[in-house]
Amino acid sequence: MSEEKQASQEEFSSRPIDYDEVLVKHVGEFGPFQRRIYVLLGMTWVPTAYMILNVVFIAATPKHHCKLPAPLSDNHTAYFQDLLLPKVQNSKGEYEFDECHMYAIADNFSTVYTMMEFNTTLNESQRELTTCTNGWTYDTSIYTSTIVSQWDLVCDRKVLVTISKSVFMAGLIAGCLMFGSVTDRFGRRPTILALGVVVTVLNIGIGFAESITLYIVLRFLVGASLIGIVNACFVEVIEYCGPNWRVFCGVCLDVFWCIGTFTLVLFAYLVRDYWKLHWILTGSCGLFLLYFCTIPESARWLYVTKREEKGNKLLMKLAKHNNKSLPTDLIVQTKKRHLK
């Protein structure tokens, strides 16, 4: 036995072994094994960006105005719109149709057709306003459909869009409070796998939602589950990196968020129908489940929960992939004194 190896054994036998010290001196702080885990776990930020930011497109409010009664909307539509829909000035100083009102005389077909025959306009007594009793007509030049046009979330119902966004954020807060202890108790890997399945199933449910109420409830659950995955992935990434790499690795995870943001914009540009866009984003989330099974448990968590044998095997695997040599004596000692 060389003097260097003997001195190393004496050093470790004289005090408890710290997990960070094993990474720095024996396994490597950010070797090939950790880089692979870093990329795999960091890629979860991509669907996270999809799920959080998709409301920008899926819940967008297209231009709209009152829909005229069927006899009037089937023929000479442009003429009847100019006659029966009031115009208001927008923030740019341009005039456009009122989004939430029309003239009540629109329901008096005989009077309207008489006005068209003699090419007359409304007088002051005929300009009484009413709400959009026949629904709305939506501009499809930018979005062919959104949840706003699907469920008529405009005028007195537009607050439901804001509520859906707020409820989702409340789900993120609830998930932070709930799944932190779950991750510590059951492990990082089981939490990521279980919540990954939950998020996928919930998004499938959103795809079949037939009401805004169900959509809001499912979005809350998606938010809570999604943040559980993000936090578990972040913790495992940091636990596998050496102390000199943790700040860098933590900050650079935002690169994956940027990738998700850019690709979301691309998808939204190419797919203007909100259901199709939702299914594409849901499918991309499901793809990540295919490789989640290949991600190992956190070695630090294994030692903290006194699963030293599994932790030793994982460190040996980590050292092998990093072309490092982990002394057998070191492993024996870590079985007796679990890493901190």
Side-chain angles (χ1 to χ4, degrees), residues 50-51 199-207 276-287:
Y50 294 164
M51 294 303 102
V199 168
T200 302
V201 171
L202 290 173
N203 277 310
I204 291 174
I206 289 176
K276 293 179 181 178
L277 178 61
H278 171 77
W279 284 116
I280 290 174
L281 300 181
T282 299
S284 66
C285 294
L287 290 176

Side-chain angles (χ1 to χ4, degrees), residues 104-120:
I105 198 174
D107 292 325
N108 191 334
F109 300 144
S110 60
T111 301
V112 171
Y113 280 116
T114 300
M115 295 176 64
M116 181 180 70
E117 182 179 356
F118 291 98
N119 195 26
T120 59

Side-chain angles (χ1 to χ4, degrees), residues 78-90:
Y79 170 81
F80 288 126
Q81 285 179 348
D82 288 333
L83 179 67
L84 302 173
L85 297 179
K87 291 186 178 181
V88 294
Q89 193 172 18
N90 60 24

Side-chain angles (χ1 to χ4, degrees), residues 3 69 249 255:
E3 294 181 358
C249 291
V255 172

Side-chain angles (χ1 to χ4, degrees), residues 28-88:
E29 294 192 71
F30 196 58
F33 187 87
Q34 288 113 315
R35 289 196 292 270
R36 182 179 72 87
I37 293 177
Y38 183 80
V39 172
L40 293 179
L41 292 176
M43 287 299 292
T44 59
W45 264 248
V46 176
T48 298
Y50 294 164
M51 294 303 102
I52 293 178
L53 301 178
N54 64 11
V55 292
V56 174
F57 307 103
I58 288 178
T61 301
K63 289 184 177 181
H64 56 280
H65 56 75
C66 291
K67 184 177 181 180
L68 297 176
L72 304 180
S73 60
D74 294 338
N75 297 295
H76 306 286
T77 303
Y79 170 81
F80 288 126
Q81 285 179 348
D82 288 333
L83 179 67
L84 302 173
L85 297 179
K87 291 186 178 181
V88 294

